[in-house]
Amino acid sequence: MREHVKNRLLVAKIGGNIIEDPEALTSFLEDFSKVEGPKILVHGGGKSATRLADQLGIKTEMIDGRRITSAENLDIVVMTYAGLLNKTIVAGLQHRNCNALGLTGADANVILAEKRPVQFVDYGYVGDVVKVNGNIITAFLNQGIIPVFCAVTHDSQGQLFNTNADTIASEIASEMSADYEVSLFYCFELKGVLENIEDKDSVIEHIDLEKYTALREAEVITEGMLPKLQNCFDALQKKVSTVHIANADFIKDNTTKHTTLSL
């Protein structure tokens, strides 16, 4: 059983627009490496997967911003997420004296998932998280290791799944909140959730559930942001201490303009 110590823990998730930009990724890894204390990094990489699929002549199908993961596309996702991107990030952290370990959910059985049930859409080999093994993650952290998770999980029956990286970050943060004071940070290219997508400075600095409902009904929040915000509130409801959506500058200066979520 894990000891109930409330040390601080940072769980940061970075998306494709940062991963795709070598300069932005280098800058983020430099700042992330300087964050003291235990930390976890989660990354996506959908744009890289789409580009590789195009190069190989494999069709990428999206519905409402969500990837339909065929068997061929699953191969692309695993190659891209768990291979090139994950190891590039790990190597970048090692270069900065951060002892990082790249992981899928299958490694050490750390994230168990199940195939998303078919309702209106068959998403193919997409997994929904069932369980996060916090004991294993804690063991890594106690050894001074920084886990770097890509968006691949498994079902313990030998099947890998493409799984939303925002959800993985939320589920990991929620599991670890039993033992840590967890800050969950969604890092992307914008300063936060915007009131007006055309005005990059129109950051909504605080969103609670009531505000979220109003913004959704007014259609201020776009479809792509809806699942991200739902993951934020799921984490808060599962006792994650703080949740922020911001650009990369936030990790070195949390006074910069950003969006903070609360219940």
Side-chain angles (χ1 to χ4, degrees):
M1 183 179 294
R2 287 171 285 159
E3 295 181 3
H4 285 266
V5 293
K6 288 288 186 177
N7 293 327
R8 290 185 178 183
L9 171 66
L10 171 68
V11 178
K13 184 266 174 177
I14 53 174
N17 287 321
I18 291 176
I19 295 170
E20 291 285 328
D21 183 339
E23 185 176 340
L25 179 59
T26 296
S27 177
F28 173 84
L29 294 179
E30 187 70 31
D31 293 334
F32 181 79
S33 70
K34 294 174 182 176
V35 175
E36 296 183 357
K39 51 199 172 188
I40 296 169
L41 185 58
V42 181
H43 69 85
K47 290 186 176 181
S48 294
T50 298
R51 186 172 63 250
L52 179 57
D54 290 343
Q55 291 170 351
L56 296 175
I58 297 172
K59 180 181 178 182
T60 298
E61 184 179 359
M62 308 287 286
I63 295 180
D64 295 331
R66 295 181 182 271
R67 184 180 303 270
I68 304 299
T69 307
S70 65
E72 285 183 318
N73 272 282
L74 179 64
D75 288 347
I76 296 291
V77 161
V78 174
M79 284 189 289
T80 307
Y81 296 179
L84 178 63
L85 297 181
N86 189 263
K87 300 316 168 191
T88 297
I89 291 169
V90 167
L93 289 172
Q94 297 290 3
H95 172 60
R96 291 164 177 82
N97 298 313
C98 288
N99 192 14
L101 175 67
L103 296 164
T104 69
D107 296 299
N109 193 30
V110 74
I111 305 175
L112 184 67
E114 61 184 6
K115 187 177 184 297
R116 180 170 296 167
V118 177
Q119 295 180 338
F120 301 106
V121 177
D122 183 357
Y123 286 99
Y125 293 99
V126 169
D128 293 324
V129 175
V130 173
K131 179 178 174 56
V132 174
N133 190 335
N135 292 308
I136 294 294
I137 298 174
T138 297
F140 290 142
L141 295 174
N142 286 343
Q143 293 297 316
I145 293 171
I146 301 164
V148 179
F149 289 95
C150 69
V152 175
T153 58
H154 80 129
D155 66 355
S156 81
Q157 303 300 311
Q159 180 62 59
L160 296 172
F161 293 120
N162 179 18
T163 300
N164 182 274
D166 286 346
T167 301
I168 287 176
S170 175
E171 293 288 350
I172 289 173
S174 298
E175 170 64 20
M176 302 309 292
S177 66
D179 297 334
Y180 292 88
E181 182 181 329
V182 180
S183 292
L184 175 58
F185 168 37
Y186 286 107
C187 174
F188 70 152
E189 70 278 7
L190 301 176
K191 294 179 181 179
V193 182
L194 302 182
E195 188 88 45
N196 175 7
I197 194 64
E198 302 299 325
D199 180 0
K200 304 306 181 187
D201 287 320
S202 63
V203 176
I204 304 170
E205 296 190 32
H206 179 251
I207 301 176
D208 58 15
L209 278 171
E210 183 178 356
K211 178 78 168 179
Y212 170 56
T213 300
L215 291 169
R216 189 176 57 193
E217 290 176 352
E219 297 184 349
V220 171
I221 299 174
T222 61
E223 288 183 353
M225 185 59 71
L226 286 172
K228 187 183 294 290
L229 288 176
Q230 189 58 57
N231 282 312
C232 292
F233 288 116
D234 286 347
L236 288 167
Q237 288 168 339
K238 294 175 182 176
K239 308 304 181 184
V240 171
S241 297
T242 60
V243 181
H244 308 279
I245 300 175
N247 67 13
D249 289 340
F250 176 81
I251 202 164
K252 61 183 175 183
D253 180 8
N254 60 19
T255 65
T256 59
K257 185 177 285 190
H258 64 279
T259 300
T260 298
L261 288 298
S262 68
L263 295 177

